[in-house]
Amino acid sequence: MVRIFYGLLTAYIIMLFIVAMLFNIAPITYIVFGIAIVLSLLLQYDWFKKHTLSEKTHVKLICCVFIIFNLCLAGLVADWLKYDTQMTLEQTDGFEFSTMDWQRGWPNDDELPEGLKRPKNLPEGISRASASGDSLAWANAYPTRYTVLEGNSTVIAQYEEIAKEHAVYQAQIDKDGMLRDLNTGERIPSISHPSEYNIIESIHEETIDLPKRDFIEWLRFAPRKETKTLVNQTTSSVSNHRLYVFVDDGNTKRPHFVELLISNDGTRAVFYQSK
């Protein structure tokens, strides 16, 4: 019985050690697991070779090692989760734009016609995509989502052709931001639409010059590459765009609209949703 328990204890500790190393390599991790493994091996050596302790004492010591190890492990896991959660929130706070997460800014598919729904992959000919999506929509009075696609005018024109067939409202936004009829150029009543959007220029990591950690922090936290994400972006007005509206509820206090804006040069498409 003791032999089986020893085997299971050793396998249990070594397995958890391997798993822990995949997520955290702080010095305290090595210390806790190292002490547990050494104690387990010493007790096994005494049981199989020395026989200086009685079976009852061995069982008590094994149970103590098992209980103390699990308590220490629980403390480590709680500390990891608390620290990693805090780090994740700090790194993502305020980071709205990325060429890597263009999908999150795409409007809801059920409010877009076929052909304008979010694809699994960006089509060939799109050289750059910028996106914005409110991660806490429930806490934002006027959440918005949009994706900006830039690239080949032929690809952008395909989106516009679909929009012409399904849009319930079409307009031209002139250089002064005024709405005009797309065909006649006459000024028309205002409808809901964004005034500007952001375009990503570059995203890169920059090393943070952090103060040295004290001894306790060194024990608790694994060596990390502390960096911050720098997003260089420009703000672009929606002036000189063709506007295709699929949904506009007419609510001026809390507007909800889904639109596609095409730049006059035909190289940029903006899928926009507000609610």
Side-chain angles (χ1 to χ4, degrees):
M1 181 67 183
V2 176
R3 180 178 297 181
I4 295 175
F5 195 85
Y6 270 132
L8 292 175
L9 177 63
T10 305
Y12 169 70
I13 294 175
I14 293 176
M15 179 187 69
L16 287 179
F17 188 37
I18 294 173
V19 172
M21 287 181 64
L22 298 176
F23 298 97
N24 188 288
I25 53 174
I28 191 65
T29 307
Y30 290 117
I31 293 172
V32 169
F33 278 91
I35 292 175
I37 292 172
V38 169
L39 288 177
S40 175
L41 292 175
L42 287 175
L43 287 172
Q44 290 181 70
Y45 177 75
D46 182 83
W47 174 258
F48 293 110
K49 297 290 185 181
K50 294 292 185 178
H51 304 290
T52 57
L53 300 174
S54 65
E55 181 176 345
K56 185 177 181 180
T57 303
H58 265 287
V59 172
K60 288 182 179 179
L61 290 175
I62 294 172
C63 291
C64 287
V65 170
F66 182 78
I67 292 171
I68 294 173
F69 169 73
N70 280 283
L71 289 175
C72 292
L73 180 63
L76 288 176
V77 171
D79 202 33
W80 299 339
L81 291 175
K82 180 181 178 181
Y83 179 76
D84 289 340
T85 301
Q86 181 180 352
M87 286 293 295
T88 301
L89 291 175
E90 289 177 355
Q91 289 175 357
T92 58
D93 184 34
F95 181 68
E96 295 182 345
F97 308 99
S98 170
T99 56
M100 302 302 292
D101 63 357
W102 57 271
Q103 292 186 350
R104 71 182 247 185
W106 207 282
N108 295 328
D109 280 352
D110 56 0
E111 296 183 306
L112 287 171
E114 290 296 331
L116 299 185
K117 297 183 184 299
R118 184 179 61 203
K120 292 183 178 179
N121 299 297
L122 288 176
E124 293 184 8
I126 298 298
S127 59
R128 186 166 57 172
S130 305
S132 172
D134 298 274
S135 56
L136 294 176
W138 55 269
N140 194 322
Y142 300 99
T144 59
R145 302 174 66 182
Y146 66 83
T147 293
V148 184
L149 304 180
E150 300 175 90
N152 192 303
S153 59
T154 304
V155 178
I156 303 299
Q158 294 175 357
Y159 286 120
E160 186 169 16
E161 285 301 315
I162 299 171
K164 287 180 179 178
E165 296 178 10
H166 298 89
V168 297
Y169 199 100
Q170 303 180 27
Q172 172 75 32
I173 307 176
D174 64 18
K175 63 180 181 179
D176 300 316
M178 303 302 298
L179 286 169
R180 300 187 179 277
D181 185 275
L182 195 59
N183 298 313
T184 65
E186 295 181 2
R187 186 174 175 179
I188 55 178
S190 177
I191 60 172
S192 300
H193 67 83
S195 60
E196 60 186 22
Y197 54 84
N198 288 289
I199 301 173
I200 300 302
E201 292 179 340
S202 65
I203 302 175
H204 64 278
E205 295 287 316
E206 182 178 275
T207 302
I208 300 176
D209 186 17
L210 295 174
K212 291 183 178 181
R213 288 172 170 168
D214 58 31
F215 179 72
I216 299 300
E217 289 176 327
W218 175 81
L219 278 178
R220 289 174 58 201
F221 304 130
R224 291 173 181 262
K225 180 185 177 183
E226 301 286 0
T227 62
K228 61 181 177 180
T229 302
L230 297 181
V231 183
N232 296 322
Q233 59 195 35
T234 57
T235 300
S236 178
S237 169
V238 298
S239 299
N240 294 318
H241 278 69
R242 296 182 289 277
L243 174 66
Y244 301 92
V245 182
F246 306 105
V247 177
D248 182 10
D249 64 3
N251 188 337
T252 56
K253 292 184 177 180
R254 191 181 179 91
H256 173 51
F257 52 87
V258 181
E259 306 170 340
L260 173 67
L261 297 104
I262 305 292
S263 61
N264 271 2
D265 60 7
T267 61
R268 182 178 299 152
V270 185
F271 291 88
Y272 212 108
Q273 173 187 340
S274 173
K275 66 176 179 179

